Amino acid sequence: NKAPVVSALVYRTVRKTPFVIADIPVITRSGVTYFIDVVLRPQRIVGILAQGLPDGWIAGVVGRDGRLIARNTQQDRYVGTVNQAFFDRATRPEGIWSGTTREGFSVAGAYIRSPLSGWIVSVAVPESILHAPAKSALAWLGGLSAAALAVSLWLGWRLSRRISSPMRDLVSRARELGEGHLPAASRSRVAEVNDVTEALLAASVELDRRAAAAQRAADTVRANEERLQLAQDTAGIGTVDWDIATGRAVCSPRFYEMFSLPPESPVQFSDILERVHPAE
């Protein structure tokens, strides 16, 4: 096999230190002559994931075997563990998912699988943030809609430049070495995981739509209540709701006035009947 190979998470036998390996074949006219091995500690990837995310967001990299390689929160606690529910659902090259984190709280997010390494890069947002009160959520989502594209573009570019592009650049340098040329010193600037942007944008649009629908429903209920109250105040009408099972009556302020009852005092329906003339 003449293609580069990127490992899943492995451990040193003595210190149990986690790391990943990239093997790049050096190809000459006679075939594969030798390999260049690149050893990368997960903590280097954590440094990339931790930059630029809003508070409370979770970003992670999972190996093709499902084990966690890097995570922007609680890396030391969860490295090497498997979130089986997420891994079972992340079967496509990219997608949107919702489920439970390793800590046990609900999240929604997006993921993309690298065609080179088979790693899965994911970004998730806790539902406690998504389900904030309607007014706060609308203000928050207004800024998020504009910032989500920039954040995901930047994150995708950083991940690609630090992981995928340098490996591809090493392949080119190895081929130059195998052909007898002096490898050129260069830095890769190519981003190839920008598809994360589209997935996050789709999630942001869907969240914006849900928040707007919730706000419209709340506005409709509030407007109906205001119209009913206005009609009652204008006509001088008092209202009472009778709970037949308990005999309890829930009265409007005007009703308390009409029947000379203490405001907001507990009232039984029998108390009201005692104040009504028998002829009525």
Side-chain angles (χ1 to χ4, degrees):
N1 186 0
K2 299 181 180 180
V5 177
V6 181
S7 75
L9 192 69
V10 294
Y11 288 86
R12 297 186 187 276
T13 56
V14 178
R15 295 185 178 181
K16 301 297 183 182
T17 302
F19 61 95
V20 293
I21 302 174
D23 289 333
I24 299 93
V26 177
I27 303 173
T28 63
R29 292 181 178 85
S30 59
V32 177
T33 304
Y34 52 89
F35 290 86
I36 296 177
D37 291 336
V38 178
V39 178
L40 181 65
R41 295 188 61 184
Q43 201 62 36
R44 294 286 299 277
I45 305 175
V46 174
I48 301 171
L49 297 175
Q51 300 180 27
L53 283 180
D55 292 341
W57 287 38
I58 302 172
V61 177
V62 176
R64 57 179 173 271
D65 59 356
R67 290 187 299 165
L68 180 71
I69 296 175
R71 194 173 190 258
N72 69 321
T73 61
Q74 301 194 53
Q75 162 72 10
D76 294 338
R77 178 181 180 183
Y78 293 116
V79 61
T81 63
V82 179
N83 185 343
Q84 195 63 47
F86 166 71
F87 188 64
D88 290 342
R89 296 187 60 180
T91 57
R92 302 174 59 188
E94 62 181 70
I96 299 173
W97 68 281
S98 60
T100 305
T101 66
R102 290 170 170 82
E103 293 87 349
F105 55 82
S106 299
V107 294
Y111 70 87
I112 184 170
R113 185 184 295 270
S114 169
L116 175 64
S117 62
W119 292 0
I120 301 173
V121 180
S122 67
V123 179
V125 185
E127 289 190 0
S128 58
I129 295 177
L130 300 180
H131 296 165
K135 291 185 179 179
S136 298
L138 284 174
W140 180 77
L141 287 173
L144 176 62
S145 297
L149 181 60
V151 171
S152 54
L153 277 172
W154 181 87
L155 180 61
W157 176 79
R158 292 283 292 181
L159 287 172
S160 176
R161 186 170 67 91
R162 293 290 184 88
I163 300 174
S164 180
S165 294
M167 291 181 181
R168 292 182 179 275
D169 189 63
L170 282 175
V171 173
S172 178
R173 302 290 80 79
R175 288 175 178 171
E176 292 176 357
L177 182 63
E179 293 171 357
H181 302 303
L182 180 64
S186 64
R187 295 181 63 186
S188 175
R189 298 289 184 180
V190 179
E192 69 175 46
V193 195
N194 290 332
D195 290 340
V196 174
T197 300
E198 297 181 5
L200 284 177
L201 181 60
S204 297
V205 171
E206 177 62 16
L207 293 173
D208 199 6
R209 184 191 66 79
R210 293 181 183 179
Q215 184 62 47
R216 288 195 299 269
D219 290 344
T220 299
V221 172
R222 183 168 56 253
N224 289 338
E225 291 177 348
E226 291 174 352
R227 284 194 294 269
L228 177 59
Q229 187 62 46
L230 179 61
Q232 292 177 356
D233 293 343
T234 302
I237 297 174
T239 61
V240 57
D241 293 332
W242 177 23
D243 186 338
I244 299 177
T246 64
R248 182 173 178 268
V250 179
C251 309
S252 68
R254 176 59 178 157
F255 194 92
Y256 279 111
E257 296 176 4
M258 295 170 62
F259 280 80
S260 300
L261 294 170
E264 300 185 5
S265 61
V267 178
Q268 293 292 317
F269 198 71
S270 58
D271 299 332
I272 299 173
L273 293 179
E274 291 176 356
R275 288 171 168 78
V276 179
H277 193 279
E280 296 181 355

